[in-house]
Amino acid sequence: VGLCESSLRLPVSASSPHNKVLFGYQMWQSVNRNTFNLGWTHWLNPSSPLDHPSFDIWPDVREFPTSSLSITGLSFSDGTPASLYDAYLNTTTSLHVGWMQHYGLDGVWLQRFLSEVQDKRFFNARNAGVQQLRGECERHQRVFAVMWDVSGCTSSNLLSQLTADVTFVMTLGIFNSSSYLRHHDGRPLLSVWGLGVRPEIDSASSLAVIQWLHSKGFAIMGGVPFNWRTQSSFSSVYAAFDIISPWTVGVYHDPANYYSFALAVQKEDASYLSQGNTQQYAPVAFPGFSWFNLNAGPFNQMPRIGGQFWQTQVDAYTSYLMPQRSS
């Protein structure tokens, strides 16, 4: 897409998710001197950090301020000390959101892991993180929204944990931000990922969560299984979402495999949702996948192919998949 530099930096409207590309923003990497005492979370294996990184691609940290970085004790092949960044520092958040503005990216879904925030350390870290992100998105005129991941929850504790955490985040004023993303009808938009995906959570507790969130005035995007239309036991849950976002990470592994999936599944999803349905469709694109160092899985299991794998998915979404109605 040919865009001049000035157009890339135009303010992004938070009035609707329509025609926006939002990236998942986990904000979960920490370093050994982390303020919240989280150690090398998601960077290095805590049992042997100097021998075993937990990730497969070392990030380029040349643009990070030194205040964001911590030396790992590892070295590159030329002997240069290898540093990693702390995602919970405002200097890191500022750089990330500044990149989004510079390169014309609309915004992010900030993940909030419901089982994780039951730990006071992560609760405090996540609360600081969402407020930092709010400030930087407002400053750089990007948008953000919060996605609650319910992995680790069960039918018995889902409603109590989610209502308590959402209620707390409401007290932070996050949903009143000028950069907080809204549904086209004006309601603040949030996402719940994992209903229908996690077998520990039944449809009744899932529906109770959606009903409670709607009663509080939220619009909801559901992160649902890729085969959501075939799950009759959860049909009432999926019908209650305002936006459907099927989770397809790992379902296909190369461009050819993706095309087969898109024709067989995604076009049918879009067609189904267009037939007198008020729901919107938000497909997922992922760049590739590898967790060799995390759990000894296949190395470079789903190759990025220099960005081609991700580009193939995005091109499909902007061409032959049924377009969203305008806001």
Side-chain angles (χ1 to χ4, degrees):
V1 178
L3 294 173
C4 67
E5 187 170 313
S6 60
S7 69
L8 290 174
R9 298 180 184 182
L10 290 174
V12 178
S13 170
S15 63
S16 169
H18 182 64
N19 281 343
K20 290 182 176 66
V21 178
L22 301 179
F23 292 81
Y25 194 60
Q26 280 78 21
M27 193 183 276
W28 60 16
Q29 298 94 344
S30 62
V31 300
N32 60 338
R33 57 185 176 86
N34 175 270
T35 302
F36 304 101
N37 194 32
L38 302 179
W40 290 105
T41 300
H42 285 281
W43 277 135
L44 304 176
N45 187 318
S47 62
S48 56
L50 298 184
D51 298 324
H52 200 146
S54 299
F55 58 100
D56 289 1
I57 299 178
W58 202 280
D60 184 344
V61 298
R62 288 175 294 180
E63 293 186 51
F64 282 79
T66 55
S67 58
S68 288
L69 301 175
S70 187
I71 295 175
T72 61
L74 300 171
S75 299
F76 294 115
S77 58
D78 64 358
T80 304
S83 297
L84 292 168
Y85 65 84
D86 189 337
Y88 293 100
L89 292 175
N90 195 65
T91 49
T92 299
T93 308
S94 179
L95 181 65
H96 286 162
V97 182
W99 281 343
M100 287 194 285
Q101 182 183 33
H102 181 79
Y103 294 105
L105 308 181
D106 296 317
V108 294
W109 280 105
L110 176 64
Q111 265 75 28
R112 191 172 173 95
F113 302 90
L114 196 51
S115 60
E116 182 186 74
V117 296
Q118 306 311 306
D119 181 323
K120 194 68 174 179
R121 298 172 304 152
F122 284 99
F123 179 73
N124 291 334
R126 292 288 174 188
N127 296 337
V130 70
Q131 293 179 89
Q132 290 169 188
L133 182 64
R134 171 190 180 165
E136 293 304 319
C137 283
E138 290 175 352
R139 185 162 74 93
H140 293 283
Q141 298 176 308
R142 304 297 99 180
V143 301
F144 76 103
V146 182
M147 176 182 289
W148 270 266
D149 186 318
V150 300
S151 301
C153 294
T154 64
S155 297
S156 61
N157 64 22
L158 173 65
L159 183 62
S160 61
Q161 289 188 2
L162 189 137
T163 56
D165 198 52
V166 172
T167 299
F168 175 81
V169 174
M170 290 171 68
T171 69
L172 300 178
I174 297 301
F175 304 115
N176 298 323
S177 168
S178 59
S179 288
Y180 194 86
L181 188 63
R182 294 183 173 272
H183 193 260
H184 66 269
D185 63 11
R187 291 176 294 164
L189 178 64
L190 58 76
S191 178
V192 179
W193 187 94
L195 301 183
V197 179
R198 312 305 305 178
E200 303 85 0
I201 300 173
D202 62 27
S203 59
S205 58
S206 299
L207 196 56
V209 160
I210 296 173
Q211 291 169 341
W212 182 84
L213 290 170
H214 277 156
S215 75
K216 297 300 178 181
F218 292 104
I220 313 166
M221 184 180 82
V224 303
F226 76 93
N227 59 343
W228 61 281
R229 283 184 290 108
T230 68
Q231 293 189 326
S232 58
S233 62
F234 269 77
S235 58
S236 61
V237 175
Y238 303 144
F241 285 122
D242 299 283
I243 302 174
I244 292 289
S245 182
W247 183 247
T248 54
V249 175
V251 176
Y252 41 84
H253 53 78
D254 59 37
N257 189 233
Y258 167 70
Y259 281 127
S260 298
F261 175 82
L263 289 170
V265 178
Q266 289 182 322
K267 289 193 74 173
E268 291 302 315
D269 283 349
S271 176
Y272 173 82
L273 291 173
S274 71
Q275 296 172 7
N277 199 315
T278 59
Q279 291 175 299
Q280 292 178 301
Y281 186 46
V284 170
F286 68 102
F289 184 80
S290 178
W291 58 9
F292 174 77
N293 280 321
L294 180 64
N295 65 5
F299 180 71
N300 201 20
Q301 182 176 354
M302 299 174 193
R304 294 173 178 242
I305 324 175
Q308 181 186 345
F309 182 49
W310 190 83
Q311 188 69 56
T312 297
Q313 298 163 75
V314 173
D315 286 346
Y317 300 155
T318 56
S319 58
Y320 64 80
L321 279 182
M322 187 170 294
Q324 294 283 312
R325 61 186 180 278
S326 60
S327 58

